[in-house]
């Protein structure tokens, strides 16, 4: 009899006292399973024990591994493609199960949850679904879709007694206002107010609504202004098309860039082309003056143009683009008059709508400096003064024009002499404000040269009489301007009564002579 058998028979020995079986110091009763050495060394037993340990450690993975597609007897496993698809499906299931566990761990009991739905790898023909998997398309509470606000019955309240809730309830109105924010413009970002259960008061909602409408209108205005107006150092599409046509026709070779900006226009530098007309020769360097198509910076243009008899019948204050074209045409005619009289000024090449091409005053893309920026010697300053005095007299008597904006900012110094520019606002002396503009020009010129140290410079009243030929004698500036206004009033009354302009003003102080 072997020892194993003896050990197994020992507990069946004669009965003993009851306290011996409960004594903690007694020998434990062990029951051992009888097995042979061959069974201990068996590989089948080792596999069973390993499988039991794996089931205890990974119950879900083993349960998935025991699917019918693995242990079934009707599946043909001779194809490598079928085996690869089965293994890939098993891997995808394990990966999705891991993602679901991560979702549970991260979300917990939070109201705001995240989903790894986009990262799941479900096989196309895998029809098994897990209870833990959430399909947002089938749920009633979709976080990506705003809940419709609850409607209030016709009677205006719900509930009874203490639980009554009217349509003016603060919470109900707040949620309705939050839901109505979704109707704002797309560019007005409102956020996820419904998901956060945001409650907006009527005052806050009305303020946000007004702000959204204001922003929408402002963006529309900015877009329209960018598309249809000439801005600082930029041109609108229509103006750009005009410039392209000039280059394509050969009139201009190339446009280099912007050289000056002002309240009324933007000036570009360009090289002249080879195509010359019969009466116009394109200079090597040109200046392109693009008049701004907005009246934001220079809104008083009508003051200079509506009372000019050359453009009075064509003036329309309701159409800004027509005013701009007339403004450009006005400068072209004024430059032509000055050029015929021999006054140094840019030579007109061509006018296209509100784009005026002229000769460039300067050299090698460098514009001539303004009189206020150049440093002249006393001799050159004196020479410039007498030249400007002569040009003002020519402009008044031969060209029948008043510059109306003459100052050191609109006079260039080039090749040892002064050049006049920016004559778009120039008017005739018979203009209702022509003499006032002339007196203002005389004040600007006199003050500049007196500060420059020219001792021979006349004051504004003496310069006005020297240019206009009038002999207005007044002791102070107030009386001088009063006499100027009286002359303008006489001219205006004559125009209203007879419909004719004054030919000129008398030079000896007598009343003006009318051309009957």
């Amino acid at each position: 009899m072997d020892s194993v058998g003896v050990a197994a028979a020992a507990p069946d020995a004669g009965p003993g006292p009851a306290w011996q079986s409960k004594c903690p110091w007694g020998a434990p009763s062990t029951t051992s399973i009888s097995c042979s050495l061959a069974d201990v060394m068996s590989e089948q037993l080792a596999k069973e024990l390993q499988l039991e340990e794996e089931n205890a450690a990974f119950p879900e993975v083993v349960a998935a591994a025991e699917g019918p597609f693995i242990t079934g007897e009707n599946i043909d496993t001779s194809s490598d493609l079928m085996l690869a698809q089965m293994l890939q499906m098993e891997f995808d299931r394990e990966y999705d199960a891991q993602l679901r566990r991560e979702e549970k761990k991260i979300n917990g009991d939070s109201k705001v949850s995240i989903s790894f739905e986009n990262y799941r790898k479900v096989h196309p023909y895998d029809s098994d679904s897990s209870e833990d998997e959430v399909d947002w398309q089938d749920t009633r509470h979709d976080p990506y879709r705003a809940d419709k606000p609850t409607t209030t019955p016709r009677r205006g309240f719900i509930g009874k007694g203490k639980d009554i809730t009217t349509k003016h309830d603060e919470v109900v109105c707040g949620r309705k206002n939050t839901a109505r924010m979704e109707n704002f413009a797309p560019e007005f970002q409102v956020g996820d107010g419904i998901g956060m259960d945001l409650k907006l008061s009527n005052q806050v909602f009305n303020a946000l609504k007004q702000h959204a409408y204001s922003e929408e209108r402002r963006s529309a205005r900015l877009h329209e202004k960018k598309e249809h107006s000439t801005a600082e150092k930029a041109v609108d599409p229509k103006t750009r098309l005009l410039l392209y046509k000039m280059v394509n026709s050969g009139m201009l070779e190339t446009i280099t860039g912007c050289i000056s900006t002002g309240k009324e226009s933007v000036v570009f530098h360009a090289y002249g082309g080879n195509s010359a007309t019969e009466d116009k020769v394109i200079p090597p360097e040109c200046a392109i003056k693009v008049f701004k198509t907005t009246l934001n910076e220079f809104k008083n243009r009508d003051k200079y143009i509506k009372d000019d008899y050359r453009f009075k019948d064509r003036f329309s204050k309701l159409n800004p683009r027509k005013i701009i074209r007339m403004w450009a045409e006005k400068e072209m005619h004024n430059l032509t008059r000055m050029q015929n009289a021999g006054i140094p000024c840019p030579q007109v090449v061509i006018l296209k709508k509100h784009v005026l091409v002229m000769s460039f005053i300067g050299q090698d893309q460098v514009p001539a400096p303004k009189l206020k920026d150049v440093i002249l010697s006393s001799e050159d300053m004196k020479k410039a003064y007498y030249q400007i005095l002569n040009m003002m007299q020519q402009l008044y008597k031969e060209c029948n024009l008043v510059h109306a904006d003459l100052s050191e900012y609109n006079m260039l110094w080039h090749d040892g002499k002064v050049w006049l520019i920016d004559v778009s606002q120039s008017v005739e002396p018979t203009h209702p404000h022509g003499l006032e503009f002339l007196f203002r020009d005389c004040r600007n010129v006199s003050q500049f040269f007196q500060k420059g140290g020219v001792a021979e410079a006349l004051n504004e009243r003496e310069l006005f009489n020297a240019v206009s030929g009038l002999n207005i004698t007044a002791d102070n500036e107030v009386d001088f301007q009063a006499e100027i206004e009286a002359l303008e009033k006489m001219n205006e009354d004559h125009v209203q009564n007879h419909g004719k302009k004054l030919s000129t003003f008398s030079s000896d102080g007598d009343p003006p002579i009318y051309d009957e």
Side-chain angles (χ1 to χ4, degrees):
M1 187 175 183
D2 56 355
S3 58
V4 178
V6 173
D12 297 332
W19 60 272
Q20 288 184 357
S21 59
K22 299 181 180 180
C23 181
W25 294 279
S29 58
T30 58
T31 58
S32 59
I33 302 174
S34 60
C35 58
S36 63
L37 182 61
D39 294 337
V40 173
M41 298 299 294
S42 174
E43 294 182 1
Q44 183 67 25
L45 179 61
K47 290 182 179 180
E48 293 178 359
L49 294 176
Q50 184 180 1
L51 186 59
E52 291 179 0
E53 293 179 0
E54 290 179 356
N55 289 336
F58 309 103
E60 294 185 5
V61 176
V62 174
E66 293 178 355
F69 64 94
I70 294 295
T71 59
E73 298 179 356
N74 299 327
I75 297 178
D76 184 16
T77 58
S78 60
S79 174
D80 295 339
L81 177 60
M82 180 61 67
L83 289 175
Q85 290 178 348
M86 293 166 61
L87 292 175
Q88 183 63 40
M89 183 185 299
E90 182 62 24
F91 174 78
D92 292 344
R93 286 187 175 184
E94 295 176 7
Y95 183 78
D96 292 347
Q98 180 66 21
L99 286 181
R100 285 192 292 272
R101 287 193 292 269
E102 291 292 334
E103 284 182 4
K104 282 187 177 181
K105 181 178 178 181
I106 294 176
N107 294 332
D109 297 332
S110 177
K111 293 183 179 180
V112 181
S113 60
I114 64 173
S115 175
F116 294 148
E117 186 71 23
N118 295 335
Y119 300 96
R120 294 181 182 175
K121 299 180 179 180
V122 181
H123 202 272
Y125 54 85
D126 182 15
S127 59
D128 296 339
S129 61
S130 175
E131 296 180 357
D132 299 332
E133 186 176 356
V134 179
D135 186 7
W136 294 112
Q137 302 299 328
D138 299 335
T139 55
R140 187 170 299 177
H141 301 286
D142 188 354
Y144 302 106
R145 183 176 58 192
D147 294 336
K148 293 183 180 179
T150 57
T151 58
T152 307
R154 289 187 178 181
R155 61 177 180 268
F157 64 92
I158 55 176
K160 294 182 181 179
K162 296 181 179 180
D163 299 332
I164 187 172
T165 302
T166 65
K167 62 180 180 180
H168 303 291
D169 184 69
E170 183 178 1
V171 177
V172 175
C173 289
R175 289 174 177 167
K176 286 183 178 180
N177 293 335
T178 303
R180 283 188 290 190
M181 283 200 307
E182 300 294 334
N183 299 327
F184 289 170
E187 58 270 10
F188 192 82
Q189 301 179 1
V190 296
D192 186 16
I194 298 178
M196 295 184 295
D197 196 17
L198 186 64
K199 305 174 185 65
L200 293 180
S201 63
N202 292 335
Q203 182 179 2
V204 175
F205 173 76
N206 292 333
L208 289 175
K209 181 180 178 181
Q210 185 65 31
H211 178 67
Y213 289 163
S214 301
E215 287 294 315
E216 186 177 3
R217 290 195 299 267
R218 187 180 69 88
S219 61
R221 286 196 302 268
L222 289 177
H223 179 73
E224 182 179 0
K225 182 178 179 181
K226 183 183 296 185
E227 292 294 330
H228 302 289
S229 64
T230 304
E232 188 79 7
K233 297 184 181 180
V235 294
D236 60 321
K238 293 183 178 179
T239 306
R240 193 178 300 116
L241 182 59
L242 290 176
L243 298 179
Y244 286 159
K245 289 182 178 180
M246 291 181 183
V247 175
N248 293 335
S249 64
M251 180 182 302
L252 300 177
E253 181 180 353
T254 179
I255 300 175
T256 57
C258 179
I259 58 176
S260 176
T261 58
K263 60 184 179 180
E264 64 175 12
S265 62
V266 182
V267 182
F268 296 92
H269 176 271
Y271 286 105
N274 298 323
S275 63
T277 59
E278 297 179 357
D279 55 345
K280 295 291 183 180
V281 178
I282 300 178
E285 290 185 274
C286 298
I288 305 174
K289 190 170 185 178
V290 180
F291 289 85
K292 293 183 179 180
T293 54
T294 56
L295 301 179
N296 296 334
E297 299 186 24
F298 198 11
K299 297 182 179 180
N300 59 341
R301 291 180 177 178
D302 56 341
K303 179 181 178 181
Y304 296 88
I305 198 171
K306 72 177 181 179
D307 293 322
D308 194 330
Y309 77 95
R310 297 175 294 174
F311 306 95
K312 188 174 182 179
D313 297 334
R314 299 163 50 194
F315 179 77
S316 175
K317 193 174 182 180
L318 301 178
N319 194 335
R321 281 196 172 270
K322 286 186 178 180
I323 297 179
I324 302 305
R325 294 181 185 180
M326 293 170 61
W327 197 257
E329 184 181 348
K330 192 167 184 281
E331 175 151 5
M332 181 195 68
H333 290 306
N334 293 339
L335 286 175
T336 304
R337 285 191 186 185
M338 295 170 60
Q339 184 180 353
N340 295 334
I343 299 176
C345 64
Q347 177 186 355
V348 177
V349 178
I350 194 173
L351 173 66
K352 291 290 186 181
K353 295 184 178 180
H354 60 284
V355 178
L356 180 63
V357 181
M358 306 172 292
S359 61
F360 179 70
I361 308 300
Q363 190 175 4
D364 297 334
Q365 302 185 29
V366 179
K370 298 178 181 178
L371 202 58
K372 75 177 186 67
D373 298 328
V374 69
I375 300 176
L376 300 177
S377 61
S378 58
E379 289 295 328
D380 290 339
M381 186 68 74
K382 183 178 179 181
K383 177 182 176 182
Y385 172 73
Y386 283 109
Q387 183 186 354
I388 292 174
L389 179 59
N390 185 28
M391 286 193 298
M392 292 178 68
Q393 292 176 345
Q394 283 184 288
L395 196 66
Y396 184 86
K397 296 178 180 179
E398 299 180 20
C399 302
N400 197 24
L401 288 175
V402 175
H403 192 284
D405 193 22
L406 187 62
S407 66
E408 61 273 18
Y409 293 89
N410 291 331
M411 293 183 286
L412 304 181
W413 181 260
H414 181 63
D415 289 340
K417 59 182 178 180
V418 180
W419 298 68
L420 295 184
I421 60 173
D422 292 344
V423 293
S424 57
Q425 73 285 334
S426 299
V427 296
E428 293 194 349
T430 54
H431 188 276
H433 303 282
L435 296 181
E436 294 180 19
F437 295 154
L438 178 61
F439 185 73
R440 186 177 62 187
D441 293 345
C442 294
R443 181 191 293 118
N444 295 335
V445 173
S446 178
Q447 291 178 356
F448 173 74
F449 283 100
Q450 285 178 355
K451 292 179 181 179
V454 179
E456 294 83 356
L458 303 175
N459 58 34
E460 56 266 22
R461 286 175 286 175
E462 296 173 347
L463 184 59
F464 178 86
N465 289 331
V467 171
S468 63
L470 300 174
N471 189 15
I472 299 178
T473 57
D475 297 336
N476 51 31
E477 184 176 344
V478 176
D479 296 339
F480 196 89
Q481 290 184 349
E483 292 191 25
I484 292 177
E485 292 177 0
L487 289 175
E488 292 178 341
K489 187 69 169 64
M490 292 174 58
N491 181 54
E492 188 175 358
D493 292 342
H494 177 77
V495 171
Q496 291 179 356
N497 296 332
H498 302 279
K500 296 181 181 181
K501 291 286 183 179
L502 290 175
S503 62
T504 182
F505 294 105
S506 62
S507 60
D508 55 354
D510 294 335
I513 300 175
Y514 299 105
D515 227 356
E516 298 295 346

